[in-house]
Amino acid sequence: MSMKLPFFRKKKIHKKNDKEILTNIPEHVAIIMDGNGRWAKGKGLPRIAGHKEGMNNVTKTVRAANKYGVKTLTLYAFSTENWKRPRSEVEFIMKLPKQFLHVYLPEMIENNVQIRTIGEFESLPSHTKEAVQYAVDQTKDNDGLILNLALNYGSRHEILRAMKKIMKEVESSSLSIDDIDEEQLSSYLYTNGFNDPDLLIRTSGEKRVSNFLLWQIAYSELWFTDVLWPDFDESTFVQALKDYEQRKRRYGGI
Ligand code: V0D
């Protein structure tokens, strides 16, 4: 009988602490959504089943980000390297935006979410581009959470592209070399107008940045979890937010 009371008390205190700890929310969270294939393999399912589950999990994460007051959520959905995967897998992945938007665009609009993209958009299949462009247009005036999807994105490509743009302008004398500073270079990246991520999350145990936002994460906190992307949920997200706050607190104390 007396064993029950401490159990309930402990839970209550824990919940109270959760709320107290979350006072410094990162404005911009970026996520490498890794582990979809592994998730499927573990369940004896084909890789594409993992991608589909991963797609559904995007909404859960958007809801959690909204709930805790994150302003920008940047998700690594497709990298420039992902074209090397089997053709059938790439084709399946390219249909996900349309599927996602068919189910969730009304909810995104309802919740005032603005959908944006970074990456080399033009080389995506036209059916993918059309679905995404429609969502971007439909949500362009929303001023809630920015859901920023990295589609056909690679950071080295992004920096090279910026450099070429700058050099062309220098060549045509519309830009002077001495005027190029960090801020100027930033403005030539896909992420022009976005704050740098405060927190980068990678799921599925790999501790690498894999060509994602290399310039932009110069000062970001990095958070890694073994949880596979389809299993990443609000409680995992809160764990990341708590760790982020702990780190910030430590820096602030010095
Ligand atoms: C595949 C895990 C949602 C990562 C998530 C084309 C692997 C599921 C979108 C999406 C992908 C894209 C645009 C948009 C709305 C949703 C998505 C891709 C891959 C690459 F406006 N999930 N998702 N896009 N996966």
Side-chain angles (χ1 to χ4, degrees), residues 150-180:
L151 303 174
N152 195 17
Y153 176 88
S155 199
R156 288 186 176 180
H157 160 81
E158 175 185 44
I159 293 167
L160 188 61
R161 173 182 167 273
M163 197 190 85
K164 285 182 176 174
K165 279 182 178 238
I166 290 169
M167 289 177 89
K168 278 199 177 131
E169 292 193 17
V170 169
E171 201 176 46
S172 70
S173 305
S174 53
L175 186 67
S176 154
I177 289 178
D178 295 328
D179 290 340
I180 305 163

Side-chain angles (χ1 to χ4, degrees), residues 33 36 51 54-55 58 77-78 93-94 96-97 100-101 115 132 149 151 229:
M33 307 181 287
N36 303 289
H51 296 317
M55 177 201 84
V58 167
F78 195 84
I93 290 172
M94 287 304 160
L96 291 177
F100 177 93
L101 294 163
I115 296 176
V132 175
L149 291 133
L151 303 174
W229 174 251

Side-chain angles (χ1 to χ4, degrees), residues 124-168:
L124 294 169
S126 49
H127 67 88
T128 310
K129 283 193 282 189
E130 280 158 21
V132 175
Q133 193 58 55
Y134 178 77
V136 168
D137 292 342
Q138 288 293 304
T139 61
K140 69 175 178 10
D141 296 323
N142 293 351
D143 57 6
L145 175 84
I146 297 174
L147 171 58
N148 184 28
L149 291 133
L151 303 174
N152 195 17
Y153 176 88
S155 199
R156 288 186 176 180
H157 160 81
E158 175 185 44
I159 293 167
L160 188 61
R161 173 182 167 273
M163 197 190 85
K164 285 182 176 174
K165 279 182 178 238
I166 290 169
M167 289 177 89
K168 278 199 177 131

